[in-house]
Amino acid sequence: MTTDHVFAALASPARRRLLRLLLDEGAQPAGRLAVRFDMSRPSVSEHLKVLKDAGLVAEARKGRERHYRLEAGPLMEISEWLTPYERFWRERLSALSSLLDEMDDLDPDDQRDARGPDGSDDLNGRNGEQPHV
Amino acid sequence: MTTDHVFAALASPARRRLLRLLLDEGAQPAGRLAVRFDMSRPSVSEHLKVLKDAGLVAEARKGRERHYRLEAGPLMEISEWLTPYERFWRERLSALSSLLDEMDDLDPDDQRDARGPDGSDDLNGRNGEQPHV
DNA sequence: TTGATATGTAGGAAATTTCCTACATATAGT
DNA sequence: ACTATATGTAGGAAATTTCCTACATATCAA
């Protein structure tokens, strides 16, 4: 149930789809989930096991069925991991949108070069020095 | 550069650490990144390639060095994928916090059972019917 | 030009993942 | 007790991933 497990579990499209099904349709027995997949039932069962080990689903025995339900908690770890990058992509987005705004202000047929005066790349996207260790 | 590639790229702890280094310290040549790892330089180079194929880093040749910089854009896809689950874990969290609030209101030595009257599980955590197909 | 530096790629071993076909187990129904 | 249903597990094949040691390529510095 570590962060590693969660990231690894999400690496599989089949497993992400399982989570989505549980989110959209609520808890379900393994078999009902399995028939949706173009894959053998035991394989789906193993994917469920990976999700369970990552803490992303929980099972409850109901008679001879086992109902799996979504356990979204561990996804918070992904969200938290993502947080520090958010600022970064927002900067890029706002840079892009202001660039588009500028272009709107010009004659639509008279744009040629939106780069800086020196034509350089600004590798860091912030035009400043970096630690470099 | 599909969503699949992005999720797969993040599945490796080494690659997540590479992204973090680029975020914290800015763009750097491959070699400077590699020495931080307990792994051969060519292996780190291959991880960088996986990240590049996922669109998570970009490279710029500077003389005999290649500087890699973070490209956070594709992480938005992860964030968007996560969105519908957010509501779900927030509900659980607020349920937990209100439970804790209730417990605060009681005599700290007189709590025994916080389950529903029927002792059932409420598998969906919302006490309601579900589509079930 | 020569030699050192910075990197990517080739080729392959080892580990892991993915998926399948039996097969074992447990529960429902008759 | 017997049979059908719902699932997990065992064992193994095939594909993928991870990592390493050469080795090839390009650039910088004398």
Side-chain angles (χ1 to χ4, degrees):
Chain A
M1 356 148 199
T2 69
T3 303
D4 268 24
H5 291 349
V6 182
F7 271 108
L10 297 183
S12 155
R15 288 192 289 267
R16 289 200 302 278
R17 191 170 155 220
L18 279 168
L19 294 179
R20 185 71 83 196
L21 286 171
L22 293 177
L23 175 70
D24 291 345
E25 307 175 0
Q28 297 176 50
R32 189 194 301 276
L33 290 165
V35 293
R36 312 285 210 92
F37 289 78
D38 192 26
M39 179 191 314
S40 77
R41 183 195 52 75
S43 295
V44 174
S45 187
E46 282 172 9
H47 281 301
L48 283 169
K49 179 175 185 172
V50 173
L51 289 172
K52 197 177 83 175
D53 290 345
L56 287 165
V57 304
E59 75 180 24
R61 309 190 174 196
K62 298 277 180 176
R64 57 185 159 182
E65 304 181 326
R66 293 198 192 182
H67 286 58
Y68 286 88
R69 74 154 181 273
L70 175 65
E71 203 67 50
L75 292 179
M76 285 178 58
E77 296 176 34
I78 306 293
S79 183
E80 283 161 19
W81 182 88
L82 229 36
T83 302
Y85 297 94
E86 251 175 75
R87 174 187 57 78
F88 207 79
W89 82 59
R90 283 192 210 293
E91 280 175 15
R92 310 292 278 185
L93 274 188
S94 61
L96 175 63
S97 81
S98 50
L99 175 64
L100 291 175
D101 285 349
E102 282 177 42
M103 289 172 64
D104 264 356
D105 290 344
L106 298 176
D107 183 322
D109 285 306
D110 193 30
Q111 294 129 37
R112 14 196 108 194
D113 193 347
R115 278 172 292 162
D118 62 343
S120 77
D121 274 349
D122 186 17
L123 198 57
N124 282 308
R126 34 174 150 122
N127 248 309
E129 68 300 304
Q130 57 227 278
H132 251 10
V133 155
Chain B
M1 353 151 202
T2 70
T3 304
D4 268 24
H5 290 347
V6 182
F7 271 108
L10 296 184
S12 154
R15 289 193 289 266
R16 290 199 303 279
R17 192 170 154 220
L18 278 169
L19 294 179
R20 184 71 84 195
L21 285 172
L22 293 178
L23 174 70
D24 291 345
E25 307 175 0
Q28 297 176 48
R32 191 196 299 278
L33 290 165
V35 293
R36 314 284 210 91
F37 289 77
D38 193 25
M39 180 191 313
S40 78
R41 183 194 53 73
S43 294
V44 174
S45 187
E46 282 173 7
H47 281 301
L48 284 169
K49 180 176 185 171
V50 173
L51 290 171
K52 196 177 84 175
D53 291 345
L56 288 166
V57 304
E59 75 182 22
R61 308 190 176 195
K62 298 278 179 176
R64 57 185 158 181
E65 304 182 325
R66 293 196 192 183
H67 285 58
Y68 285 89
R69 74 154 182 274
L70 176 65
E71 202 68 50
L75 292 179
M76 285 178 57
E77 296 176 34
I78 306 294
S79 184
E80 282 162 19
W81 182 89
L82 228 36
T83 303
Y85 297 92
E86 247 173 83
R87 175 188 56 80
F88 207 81
W89 80 59
R90 282 192 209 293
E91 280 173 15
R92 310 293 277 185
L93 274 189
S94 62
L96 176 62
S97 79
S98 51
L99 175 63
L100 292 176
D101 286 349
E102 281 178 40
M103 289 173 64
D104 265 357
D105 290 344
L106 297 176
D107 184 320
D109 285 306
D110 195 31
Q111 295 130 37
R112 12 197 108 192
D113 194 346
R115 277 172 296 163
D118 60 346
S120 78
D121 273 350
D122 185 18
L123 196 57
N124 282 307
R126 35 173 150 124
N127 247 311
E129 67 301 305
Q130 60 227 266
H132 249 8
V133 156

